[in-house]
Amino acid sequence: RNGLWQMSSQARTTGAYREDAALPLFGEDSPKKRFIDLLFGLVTVGAVLATIVLSFLRGSVSDKTHIFFGVVILLMAVPQLVLIYWFRKGDLHPKFRYLIAYMMLAIVLLCICAVIYFYNTTCSH
């Protein structure tokens, strides 16, 4: 116990742990992983933005189903952005990368389904 106290008081006076605080918690990502993350993110953002725009363009005044669909997709994308922010900041363990990728894929598939729905319902009327 006495040794632990000495080590912690020594660290306080020398600032040995201050330098470690600037380092990422789980290490640096490779440029390939960063590129793949960026690519997944851009595809997801593009799909969500296109779906939101189409939901308002294809929605009608009497039937607000398209707009509701677009808002729901947007609400699903917000927690995804928070997870990405925490992951990039280094607060999440690297295993969460797979959860983030899965959620991005689910959001993109939902956007594709929404666009198909938008065009099928407006063409049939």
Side-chain angles (χ1 to χ4, degrees), residues 35-108:
F35 175 74
I36 291 171
D37 291 344
L38 182 65
L39 185 66
F40 265 99
L42 289 175
V43 167
T44 305
V45 167
V48 169
L49 289 178
T51 305
I52 297 299
V53 168
L54 285 173
S55 72
F56 282 99
L57 291 178
R58 294 299 219 173
S60 64
V61 177
S62 62
D63 184 22
K64 298 198 181 339
T65 308
H66 295 5
I67 297 170
F68 177 71
F69 209 167
V71 170
V72 168
I73 290 173
L74 188 63
L75 290 175
M76 288 186 64
V78 170
Q80 178 71 13
L81 291 173
V82 172
L83 279 176
I84 292 170
Y85 173 74
W86 288 342
F87 185 79
R88 297 294 300 156
K89 195 172 157 187
D91 291 343
L92 290 179
H93 194 275
K95 67 183 174 186
F96 283 97
R97 172 177 272 133
Y98 301 114
L99 175 66
I100 291 170
Y102 170 78
M103 288 176 61
M104 283 184 179
L105 180 65
I107 290 171
V108 168

Side-chain angles (χ1 to χ4, degrees), residues 16-29:
Y17 293 113
R18 249 182 271 146
E19 295 170 7
D20 291 340
L23 296 174
L25 185 60
F26 298 107
E28 290 289 324
D29 285 339

Side-chain angles (χ1 to χ4, degrees), residues 1-21:
R1 186 172 189 193
N2 194 15
L4 181 63
W5 170 253
Q6 287 175 347
M7 183 172 49
S8 63
S9 66
Q10 179 186 7
R12 271 189 248 137
T13 57
T14 62
Y17 293 113
R18 249 182 271 146
E19 295 170 7
D20 291 340

